[in-house]
Amino acid sequence: MSADYLSEKQLQSAGDAIPERQRLVRRRWHYAAALSFLAMTAYCVYVISGRHLYATVPVSHKNQHLALSTKTPYAVNHELVADTPPGGFELLQVHQLTRHGARYPTHGEIEDIKHVYEMLRPIIPASWILYDLIDTRNAGLLSRSGEREIAGIAERAKTRYHDIFDKVALMPESVRFVSSDRQRTRVSAQTFRDVLSEDIPNLRQVVAVPQENDTTLAMHHICPAWIRDSARLREYEIALETLKFDSLNGQTILWTINLRLGSAKAVKLMHDVDTIYRLCGYDLSLYNNAYRWCSLLDPVMTEYLELRRDIEYSRVYGPYGSDVNKKMACAMFTEILADIDRALDNPAAAVSTFRFAHAETMMFVSSLLKLETRLGKDSSPIVGNMTLADAKDRGFKTTFLAPFSTNLAIELYRVGRKAGFFRLLLNEQVISLADCVGDICPIRVLREKLAAHVGCNFTAVCQVDE
């Protein structure tokens, strides 16, 4: 029917129908938008309230604790730093093992970082791309921040061990500095020595042990049995547990990082997430910056990503892998106990040694001493389907056992004519072994702990049967 033949009332009705249809369309659109919002809200509630507990607010403060495994910057709680020897005890000798300070990425890491840079270049700020991290001339070298970490440890050691260093003027041979033959450990040792030498004359020079002869500091490189076992573990058990972790947690982690990047599919692989995790560690350790790569993570997520890393570390270098791992530090402790015996026989001739090595060395030593049992629950082994509560409670956490500049010290004491006590420090704080009562412990406890691992034949330990 033509509009010309419509009554006034019909025209009014037809005119009213148009806005009504518009209102209906708008209501349907609002309904669909509300459903989408509710679905997204429900998913976020699932993410942040379930087992995969991730905050949805990016990290924005550098003092928030992030578990960054072996890329964690060294942090010292000055309120808990061990003081000079307790009253009545005379310090005879110190054996301190220190990991090198914060370093630049290694060659293998550089390739991973280049890949992530190129993959995310279109959507990240240009300031996030740091070319000194992918400069192969810097690969594995000690950084300036790493030197500062080591210098701070040396300054505190100068105060804590002044009784030891006071002897150096008359007995230069009473203090030794030994490092593995890598630039980052040599320079760490030299930095430590240089800080001491500002007030202490006649200090001996740093001795770097050639890698082909190194059975105490970078020993895994020349141990065929360890090389064989670690390759088998990576190929089977570690791959299986990592796959288990990724199947349970991977999608949530990827979704959260991509949400913060503002791109739904920017990061697709957990290997790339691991590179972002390491970049956060380098940002904090080398530049004290929490506002670039760390803004994609949060404290709980880093707990999970540390767990993913520790699946490998705990087996390749730690207590949950080959039996060879627990024997790798035997040559070092054979040296240490021989020096302790000489010091107890002749305290005036005691020699203190400051050793500089690697994260792997710290993990081998920790495995032999079973430090994981003193730092948390002995979760054996670390598995990919651990709950967050179990992950937090486990003792083997590389964030605490092997951050940059991590250090372990054995202090030897005597009381009057009665000699033979020791104190153990991890990262400058007292840690007691299981059979110790109090901070100071009889030396027999250390001997018993190491009885099966002293006097070993390193060549025999590392031999591979044909």
Side-chain angles (χ1 to χ4, degrees):
M1 183 183 293
S2 168
D4 295 335
Y5 297 95
L6 293 175
S7 68
E8 185 176 345
K9 185 176 181 180
Q10 288 174 319
L11 286 172
Q12 180 67 38
S13 298
D16 289 345
I18 295 173
E20 181 62 30
R21 284 195 297 271
Q22 291 175 340
R23 284 194 294 271
L24 180 61
V25 169
R26 281 198 295 267
R27 279 199 299 270
R28 287 174 177 171
W29 186 89
H30 288 153
Y31 180 68
L35 282 177
S36 297
F37 175 77
L38 287 172
M40 181 64 73
T41 301
Y43 183 73
C44 289
V45 168
Y46 161 75
V47 169
I48 66 175
S49 65
R51 181 173 165 272
H52 312 290
L53 181 62
Y54 295 137
T56 55
V57 179
V59 173
S60 61
H61 197 284
K62 66 183 180 181
N63 290 326
Q64 283 192 280
H65 171 69
L66 299 179
L68 297 172
S69 186
T70 58
K71 305 303 177 286
T72 302
Y74 187 73
V76 59
N77 185 334
H78 292 278
E79 295 180 0
L80 298 178
V81 166
D83 203 348
T84 50
F89 287 87
E90 178 187 357
L91 181 63
L92 298 180
Q93 187 181 65
V94 176
H95 291 275
Q96 181 168 302
L97 175 66
T98 303
R99 183 193 178 192
H100 57 77
R103 60 158 174 80
Y104 286 97
T106 60
H107 285 285
E109 291 176 309
I110 285 174
E111 293 307 310
D112 290 339
I113 293 170
K114 282 181 178 179
H115 169 71
V116 167
Y117 277 0
E118 289 307 310
M119 179 178 69
L120 299 181
R121 188 185 296 272
I123 60 174
I124 59 174
S127 61
W128 287 28
I129 298 176
L130 303 175
Y131 290 96
D132 54 346
L133 291 184
I134 55 175
D135 186 340
T136 55
R137 293 171 298 181
N138 292 335
L141 300 184
L142 188 71
S143 67
R144 289 293 179 88
S145 60
E147 291 183 35
R148 289 192 293 270
E149 287 174 349
I150 296 294
I153 295 169
E155 287 286 358
R156 292 185 291 276
K158 190 190 303 184
T159 300
R160 187 182 307 120
Y161 302 135
H162 63 84
D163 290 343
I164 295 292
F165 297 127
D166 286 347
K167 301 175 184 177
V168 173
L170 297 176
M171 292 178 57
E173 68 279 7
S174 64
V175 174
R176 298 191 306 150
F177 305 95
V178 185
S179 79
S180 70
D181 198 13
R182 293 290 181 92
Q183 184 269 357
R184 53 187 176 269
T185 48
R186 293 196 307 269
V187 176
S188 292
Q190 190 62 47
T191 300
F192 191 95
R193 180 197 174 277
D194 288 348
V195 169
L196 298 180
S197 67
E198 294 171 2
D199 302 303
I200 304 165
N202 300 330
L203 286 171
R204 297 170 72 178
Q205 294 300 316
V206 174
V207 175
V209 182
Q211 182 169 303
E212 61 271 19
N213 302 325
D214 192 350
T215 62
T216 60
L217 299 174
M219 53 285 220
H220 55 297
H221 292 297
I222 61 169
C223 184
W226 177 84
I227 294 169
R228 176 203 60 194
D229 290 352
S230 62
R232 288 177 179 174
L233 284 164
R234 284 191 173 99
E235 186 174 354
Y236 298 108
E237 187 175 342
I238 293 170
L240 178 64
E241 292 301 330
T242 303
L243 181 62
K244 190 186 298 182
F245 175 93
D246 290 350
S247 67
L248 289 171
N249 304 291
Q251 286 302 112
T252 307
I253 292 172
L254 287 165
W255 183 87
T256 305
I257 287 177
N258 285 326
L259 178 67
R260 290 169 180 169
L261 283 168
S263 178
K265 296 183 179 180
V267 181
K268 299 177 182 179
L269 301 175
M270 284 300 292
H271 182 78
D272 294 330
V273 169
D274 183 69
T275 302
I276 290 171
Y277 176 63
R278 283 178 282 165
L279 278 167
C280 171
Y282 284 122
D283 254 354
L284 281 177
S285 295
L286 272 61
Y287 311 106
N288 195 29
N289 188 305
Y291 303 101
R292 290 188 290 250
W293 297 99
C294 294
S295 68
L296 302 179
L297 310 177
D298 58 65
V300 175
M301 189 189 293
T302 63
E303 292 272 3
Y304 271 101
L305 293 175
E306 181 199 33
L307 173 64
R308 189 178 188 271
R309 288 257 98 205
D310 286 355
I311 289 171
E312 178 176 355
Y313 286 141
S314 65
R315 288 169 171 80
V316 175
Y317 310 108
Y320 310 133
S322 166
D323 286 341
V324 175
N325 291 1
K326 298 176 183 178
K327 301 174 183 177
M328 292 296 286
C330 68
M332 179 194 300
F333 278 108
T334 298
E335 281 187 7
I336 290 173
L337 281 185
D339 281 347
I340 286 174
D341 287 339
R342 284 190 287 268
L344 293 176
D345 289 341
N346 184 7
V351 176
S352 295
T353 304
F354 295 85
R355 297 171 172 86
F356 295 82
H358 305 269
E360 299 90 332
T361 321
M362 300 302 300
M363 287 185 258
F364 288 136
V365 168
S366 170
S367 297
L368 195 153
L369 293 175
K370 298 182 179 179
L371 294 185
E372 74 278 356
T373 65
R374 308 305 298 160
L375 296 173
K377 293 181 180 178
D378 183 14
S379 305
S380 179
I382 294 175
V383 292
N385 60 351
M386 264 186 167
T387 64
L388 181 61
D390 287 341
K392 284 178 174 290
D393 286 344
R394 76 187 191 278
F396 188 94
K397 292 173 69 72
T398 45
T399 294
F400 301 114
L401 287 172
F404 286 127
S405 299
T406 187
N407 50 88
L408 181 76
I410 300 173
E411 304 169 346
L412 180 64
Y413 294 99
R414 70 175 176 181
V415 183
R417 294 180 178 276
K418 187 177 181 181
F421 297 88
F422 76 97
R423 183 172 71 166
L424 195 64
L425 305 185
L426 176 63
N427 296 332
E428 304 180 70
Q429 298 177 24
V430 176
I431 179 172
S432 298
L433 296 181
D435 297 323
C436 293
V437 178
D439 295 345
I440 305 292
C441 196
I443 198 67
R444 63 170 175 77
V445 173
L446 185 62
R447 292 188 193 282
E448 291 168 1
K449 177 74 71 174
L450 301 176
H453 307 289
V454 172
C456 66
N457 183 321
F458 187 82
T459 302
V461 166
C462 292
Q463 184 176 350
V464 175
D465 297 329
E466 297 296 336

